[in-house]
Amino acid sequence: EAGVTQFPSHSVIEKGQTVTLRCDPISGHDNLYWYRRVMGKEIKFLLHFVKESKQDESGMPNNRFLAERTGGTYSTLKVQPAELEDSGVYFCASSQPGTTYEQYFGPGTRLTVT
Amino acid sequence: LAKTTQPISMDSYEGQEVNITCSHNNIATNDYITWYQQFPSQGPRFIIQGYKTKVTNEVASLFIPADRKSSTLSLPRVSLSDTAVYYCLVGVRPRDDKIIFGKGTRLHILP
């Protein structure tokens, strides 16, 4: 069974540019989560999809971040325009319904904004 | 979610058994205890979950005393590859909720 995949693995962009991160969850997992860790900080929740619907987006830092999950399969997280403080590692995770905390994480996308 | 407290860091040597204890004094009746492991440059990985007494799998054992106010993750005969951050989480199951990560315990295995 393929795990959660994320693309790209690394991205370096300039302040003010746009970046789109992609996450492909494990097939059949209705739940999809985005998290991020900025340098020296703890991993923080961003948002949670159930299929194509946003269940919880309380962790999204501001309206420069837009997450989508069209068709309930893969998800994208767009940052526009990127700021320096957006640098960090963005993790995606997926899970089956009813399996508390048994989330499967991808390897992360390291975003550097210069 | 019940608040958890675990050591910031631990060192051990290859071949030793490592025990990481997590305190969760205000754990609720319906809360389960879950541990995640995160290797450098990777995403966190679920390793074990339990409610009471002892749970064992191919990776670790989880010991939970009767009062459930703490739990101990036990890693038998560690190797250098067990160097990672270990997170203790407490929450209700089943619930497809976000994970709130703390600082975790940074385990460093020495040769």
Side-chain angles (χ1 to χ4, degrees):
Chain A
E1 177 184 89
V4 176
T5 58
Q6 294 186 244
F7 182 82
S9 56
H10 294 87
S11 180
V12 181
I13 62 172
E14 293 183 353
K15 176 181 173 180
Q17 290 186 322
T18 297
V19 63
T20 300
L21 313 181
R22 174 171 170 143
C23 168
D24 285 80
I26 293 172
S27 178
H29 281 193
D30 290 343
N31 292 306
L32 188 149
Y33 309 81
W34 284 97
Y35 297 84
R36 77 171 177 179
R37 176 162 62 198
V38 298
M39 183 69 73
K41 301 289 188 178
E42 297 155 22
I43 298 172
K44 295 292 188 185
F45 165 80
L46 295 178
L47 88 160
H48 170 202
F49 283 100
V50 177
K51 297 184 180 179
E52 67 275 8
S53 299
K54 292 177 184 175
Q55 180 75 14
D56 180 357
E57 50 185 329
S58 61
M60 294 288 265
N62 51 60
N63 58 10
R64 295 186 294 103
F65 289 75
L66 175 64
E68 295 180 323
R69 191 183 183 195
T70 306
T73 55
Y74 71 91
S75 174
T76 58
L77 180 64
K78 180 191 289 187
V79 185
Q80 179 183 29
E83 298 288 346
L84 298 178
E85 64 264 25
D86 300 332
S87 295
V89 181
Y90 290 76
F91 294 105
C92 174
S94 71
S95 72
Q96 294 176 331
T99 54
T100 300
Y101 302 144
E102 291 183 41
Q103 296 180 14
Y104 295 82
F105 282 75
T109 293
R110 180 173 296 279
L111 174 65
T112 302
V113 183
T114 62
Chain B
L1 293 172
K3 179 177 168 57
T4 61
T5 302
Q6 53 184 123
I8 293 295
S9 66
M10 293 179 65
D11 288 341
S12 187
Y13 291 93
E14 280 192 294
Q16 300 291 310
E17 177 185 75
V18 172
N19 295 311
I20 305 173
T21 296
C22 177
S23 297
H24 28 80
N25 291 318
N26 59 341
I27 189 169
T29 303
N30 295 331
D31 283 343
Y32 278 69
I33 300 154
T34 307
W35 286 80
Y36 272 76
Q37 173 190 57
Q38 185 179 22
F39 297 119
S41 301
Q42 293 187 27
R45 178 177 78 125
F46 169 92
I47 50 173
I48 200 165
Q49 185 177 77
Y51 182 79
K52 61 180 180 181
T53 62
K54 176 184 174 182
V55 179
T56 297
N57 62 23
E58 65 279 4
V59 176
S61 294
L62 179 59
F63 297 92
I64 305 168
D67 67 5
R68 304 199 328 120
K69 293 185 183 301
S70 67
S71 59
T72 298
L73 177 74
S74 182
L75 305 172
R77 297 181 298 282
V78 293
S79 63
L80 296 176
S81 63
D82 290 311
T83 293
V85 179
Y86 293 82
Y87 298 95
C88 169
L89 312 168
V90 174
V92 178
R93 162 182 169 181
R95 187 170 128 189
D96 303 327
D97 208 354
K98 62 195 173 205
I99 294 176
I100 298 177
F101 288 94
K103 291 181 170 54
T105 296
R106 188 171 298 276
L107 176 64
H108 186 204
I109 305 302
L110 304 166

